[in-house]
């Protein structure tokens, strides 16, 4: 529903790896971005969520942050490729009807969350009132459909012809998820020897060592958001999430999110929360 520390720390680790990987090479100087997705977001039931508690971080916690034993890859792309990559990711959400006051589910629960790549290193918005550009299999629906708006790099509209490097994993770089032009052939791809979660562990250890407290407290940089919806209709937009009390506590800190009142649950035991897209 918004940028999140558990995705942020993976992206921060991948960007740090990418910058070190290209140092002193002909690629040095190209912008390094990162693609990372929420692996545990309820796909396998109400307990399938990442929940790293405060305190000592364990090996199991890093596995929760990065579930799959992927190996790290870097793909050379253009600004146009970046936009199409994000358009494919934006299929995570159903289209919202701005003229309907009926309950509308924002999450398309048939869309695998591991295909909801957030690209860090730039900023963008997702307009969920627009139809999807790609279907859930990655097939183009219409060239006229577009959800990604205000896509910027370093505060300026992204140059669609400019070159970027995106750090990702072997699954995505080789065509997993059927992202446009990302198939291991159409775009130059560089292979690293490490697992992504190994890169993450090394980054956590390194950042903690730099800290005066010997700890880390990652926070999201809020590089993406939903576009503000302008309508006179009283919208009733909901999404499903974990029914744990900790979620309600987190929601108290999020101005646009709140439990439905009284709290509703769906047929599978997920709690339903409301989200205000007009803010």
């Amino acid at each position: 529903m918004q940028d999140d520390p558990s995705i942020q720390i993976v992206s921060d680790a991948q960007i740090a790896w990418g910058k070190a990987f290209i140092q002193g090479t002909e690629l040095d100087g190209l912008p390094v971005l990162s693609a990372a997705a929420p692996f545990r977001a309820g796909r396998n039931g109400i307990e399938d969520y990442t929940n790293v508690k405060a305190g000592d971080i364990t090996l199991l916690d890093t596995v929760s942050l990065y579930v799959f034993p992927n190996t790290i890859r870097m793909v050379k792309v253009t600004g146009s490729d970046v936009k199409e990559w994000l358009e494919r990711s934006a299929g995570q959400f159903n289209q919202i009807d701005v003229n309907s006051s009926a309950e509308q589910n924002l999450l398309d629960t048939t869309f695998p969350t591991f295909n909801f790549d957030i690209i860090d290193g730039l900023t963008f918005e997702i307009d969920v009132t627009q139809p999807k550009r790609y279907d859930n299999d990655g097939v183009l629906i219409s060239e006229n459909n577009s959800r990604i708006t205000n896509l910027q790099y370093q505060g300026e509209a992204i140059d669609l012809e400019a070159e970027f490097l995106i750090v990702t994993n072997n699954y995505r770089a080789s065509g997993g998820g059927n992202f446009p032009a990302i198939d291991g052939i159409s775009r130059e791809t560089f292979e690293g020897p490490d697992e992504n979660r190994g890169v993450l562990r090394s980054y956590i250890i390194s950042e903690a060592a730099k800290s005066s407290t010997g700890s880390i407290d990652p926070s999201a940089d809020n590089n993406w958001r939903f576009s503000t919806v302008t309508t006179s209709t009283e919208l009733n937009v909901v999404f499903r999430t974990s029914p744990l009390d900790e979620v309600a506590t987190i929601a108290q800190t999020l101005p646009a999110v709140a439990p439905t009142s009284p709290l509703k649950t769906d047929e599978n035991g997920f709690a339903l929360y409301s989200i205000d897209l007009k803010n």
Side-chain angles (χ1 to χ4, degrees):
M1 295 299 107
Q2 67 178 56
D3 204 19
D4 173 81
S6 68
I7 309 301
Q8 187 71 57
I9 193 169
V10 172
S11 278
D12 290 347
Q14 291 184 170
I15 288 174
W17 177 90
K19 289 180 176 179
F21 185 78
I22 65 172
Q23 191 170 12
T25 73
E26 61 182 12
L27 299 172
D28 203 348
L30 286 180
V32 178
L33 311 177
S34 167
F39 294 133
R40 301 188 63 196
R43 182 167 176 255
N44 295 314
I46 60 174
E47 296 181 355
D48 185 30
Y49 287 89
T50 298
N51 183 17
V52 180
K53 298 181 183 298
D56 291 342
I57 192 167
T58 67
L59 185 63
L60 191 60
D61 288 328
T62 62
V63 172
S64 180
L65 288 166
Y66 205 102
V67 174
F68 301 107
N70 299 127
T71 49
I72 202 157
R73 297 286 187 273
M74 188 164 60
V75 184
K76 189 177 182 182
V77 298
T78 65
S80 178
D81 293 328
V82 172
K83 184 178 185 299
E84 293 305 305
W85 194 316
L86 288 171
E87 289 284 0
R88 170 76 175 105
S89 295
Q92 175 70 78
F93 305 106
N94 292 315
Q95 184 178 3
I96 298 302
D97 182 352
V98 298
N99 298 312
S100 174
S101 59
E103 184 177 276
Q104 301 182 70
N105 282 284
L106 183 55
L107 277 177
D108 180 349
T109 57
T110 66
F111 186 100
T113 59
F114 57 75
N115 282 338
F116 179 47
D117 278 355
I118 295 301
I119 297 183
D120 258 291
L122 40 73
T123 58
F124 61 95
E125 297 180 9
I126 301 175
D127 186 351
V128 292
T129 68
Q130 298 302 308
K132 297 182 182 187
R133 185 173 177 87
Y134 296 92
D135 69 16
N136 285 7
D137 294 320
V139 177
L140 181 67
I141 298 172
S142 172
E143 289 279 0
N144 296 322
N145 296 353
S146 179
R147 287 181 157 184
I148 301 301
T149 67
N150 204 21
L151 178 58
Q152 297 187 355
Y153 174 69
Q154 294 187 338
E156 301 287 342
I158 197 169
D159 182 348
L160 298 180
E161 302 298 324
E163 293 183 329
F164 296 85
L165 299 170
I166 299 185
V167 184
T168 181
N169 57 49
N170 63 302
Y171 173 77
R172 181 72 72 242
S174 62
N178 195 24
F179 279 61
I182 310 302
D183 54 15
I185 300 171
S186 301
R187 300 292 181 267
E188 191 173 6
T189 302
F190 306 90
E191 299 184 9
D194 307 298
E195 286 191 359
N196 294 69
R197 58 189 178 192
V199 169
L200 173 62
R201 290 174 195 144
S202 296
Y203 179 80
I204 290 172
I205 292 168
S206 173
E207 290 301 297
K210 294 176 186 176
S211 168
S212 60
T213 62
S215 63
I216 61 166
D217 186 14
S219 59
D221 63 7
N222 298 310
N223 72 304
W224 75 274
R225 65 186 302 275
F226 294 118
S227 299
T228 302
V229 175
T230 302
T231 178
S232 59
T233 303
E234 192 66 31
L235 297 177
N236 181 13
V237 181
V238 299
F239 64 94
R240 74 177 196 181
T241 186
S242 163
L244 291 178
D245 291 340
E246 290 102 305
V247 179
T249 301
I250 293 170
Q252 291 175 3
T253 69
L254 308 177
V257 172
T260 49
S261 182
L263 182 65
K264 297 179 183 177
T265 56
D266 68 11
E267 65 277 9
N268 296 310
F270 290 94
L272 293 182
Y273 277 57
S274 63
I275 182 166
D276 183 1
L277 296 175
K278 295 169 74 171
N279 281 334

